Amino acid sequence: MQESFGAYIPFVDHLGFEMVFFDDGLSELRYRPEPEHLNSFNVTHGGAVMTLLDVTLATAARSVDKGMGAVTIEMKTSFMQPARGTLTAKGRLIHRTRNMAFTEGTVFDEAGNACAHATGTFKYASRDAAPTELHEISTD
């Protein structure tokens, strides 16, 4: 269970993301993709890379107030080259308002090459408003 993210996120736990740094508008995560996280070209699946970026951007947004949650409003991702081996994602909070956070982040491969870049907008949310158990989520 990943407690270092400030919240338990089952999907992040499943993928095995590791928090390296999470403070002062910056975040860094590490990810060692498993064989089942690869695509037919034997490189990290784009969906896994986008999830890594989403979590990295959200943690950068939350790093200035770790008690708050952050909900993704929009994210744009550009893929530059295949993501191979252990990946490092670095995120940065560019600007924030009382309710919104504007972020950017990049995923790097083992050799330090940029593989993907994203910008994202997040809405801050109180942790009290977020469901804590799967059965509490309403489909209405």
Side-chain angles (χ1 to χ4, degrees), residues 12-81:
V12 169
D13 191 48
H14 171 73
L15 290 171
F17 296 172
E18 300 172 47
M19 179 65 69
V20 176
F21 184 80
F22 170 46
D23 202 22
D24 199 28
L26 301 172
S27 65
E28 183 174 328
L29 281 71
R30 187 168 300 119
Y31 172 43
R32 293 174 182 85
E34 297 294 330
E36 60 270 22
H37 303 157
L38 306 181
N39 63 21
S40 61
F41 295 101
N42 206 36
V43 297
T44 307
H45 190 282
V49 172
M50 289 182 76
T51 300
L52 178 60
L53 282 163
D54 182 48
V55 175
T56 301
L57 300 180
T59 54
R62 291 182 48 246
S63 69
V64 293
D65 184 355
K66 296 177 183 177
M68 291 296 286
V71 179
T72 309
I73 300 300
E74 88 50 62
M75 189 171 108
K76 181 210 183 279
T77 304
S78 298
F79 296 96
M80 296 173 269
Q81 65 180 345

Side-chain angles (χ1 to χ4, degrees), residues 104-119:
E104 69 174 355
T106 305
V107 171
F108 301 91
D109 66 13
E110 287 182 352
N113 300 309
C115 299
H117 182 83
T119 57

Side-chain angles (χ1 to χ4, degrees), residues 65 67-71 98-99 123-132:
D65 184 355
M68 291 296 286
V71 179
R98 188 170 64 83
N99 296 319
K123 180 177 170 104
Y124 289 114
S126 168
R127 284 256 170 242
D128 296 335
T132 56

